Amino acid sequence: MNRRRETLVFEHPAQALSGRPTAEEWIETFHAQLKERGLKSTAQRDEIAQAFYRMGRHISAEELYGEVKQANPHVGYATIYRTLKLLKECELVSERHFDEGQARYEVLGERHHDHFICERCGRIIEFENPQIERLQQAIAQEIGASLTRHKVELYGLCRDCRGGVNK
Amino acid sequence: MNRRRETLVFEHPAQALSGRPTAEEWIETFHAQLKERGLKSTAQRDEIAQAFYRMGRHISAEELYGEVKQANPHVGYATIYRTLKLLKECELVSERHFDEGQARYEVLGERHHDHFICERCGRIIEFENPQIERLQQAIAQEIGASLTRHKVELYGLCRDCRGGVNK
DNA sequence: TTCCCTGCAAAAGTTTTGCACTACT
DNA sequence: AGTAGTGCAAAACTTTTGCAGGGAA
């Protein structure tokens, strides 16, 4: 394959996170969006949003609940879910369903990327490939559809797991 | 974009289904797989497998349950799920999680394809694009991973819904 | 005859909702 | 003060499991 190397691979969180708004900017946007909708800023919403931002990528509601609980043992699951829903509506967070029972959430507002999921160790590697992006737009056009979002998920064995004992 | 048109779009079930094994071949394979594992063929398994094959594409457990109930009002959900699990193990069925709460299942053994999902009317359009396939392999190589499966899902408005009232 | 399979009901896991109380604005 | 938000518990929804009885090999 004589294609020039276009894919950017984000194996280390620091790489993937570059270009992402700072925690302050992000929370500020959240507050602005709340105000715009006539909704209130509360201590819980801030705690949850901050914990979410701090924890990093591909967080489940359960993990977020655990984290927030440490700072404030009184929060309930309901508030976690309600706040995540709110963050989605404000387009600060996107919800993803990898092949599991539960949803995972990630911070929006950084560069678009897709995911590789290791089927053995569960590691998630992000990558970005402009050709795939272009191709998807072209396909939508052929279908006659407009595209609002898309996802590419690759499943397999990561480098480390390939080198492992079996296979 | 001066790319030549490579995408095959399957908008009509008949197109997507071409090349798929017949119901008889498919059930036969199921029986063979069961025997190989020392498991039994039963009336319920056949009913479920047949209903599944007959119903076509992207079926949920609930829909399948409803269909099978009509022929045999005694079947329970448990048997539906157990049989779907079995069909997956026999690689006759694959499970998919689109962005919904429930899983959907589709017949394997036909050509690989990806999905466009209309966010308004729920219509699912299948397509096949060799470039995307190649690109995904190339990306996996760059990541250093081996690929066992992958999915591309495009979300947006289909041709009909775009033409609709708002937007 | 021996297990495997089935149906039922209960359980488990995730997410949502009703309600009384609390607390932003 | 008024309205939206919170916590709790219960409900809803999807999927899994335990168990006693039934059926394929």
Side-chain angles (χ1 to χ4, degrees), chain B residues 69-84:
Chain B
K69 268 284 189 193
Q70 295 190 1
N72 178 354
H74 282 290
V75 286
Y77 257 113
T79 305
I80 300 288
Y81 279 107
R82 286 191 274 233
T83 304
L84 281 171

Side-chain angles (χ1 to χ4, degrees), chain A residues 40-41 61-62 77-78 81-82 101-103 105:
Chain A
K40 295 170 181 171
S41 297
E62 187 187 3
Y77 257 114
Y81 278 107
R82 286 191 275 233
Q102 56 184 7
Y105 302 83

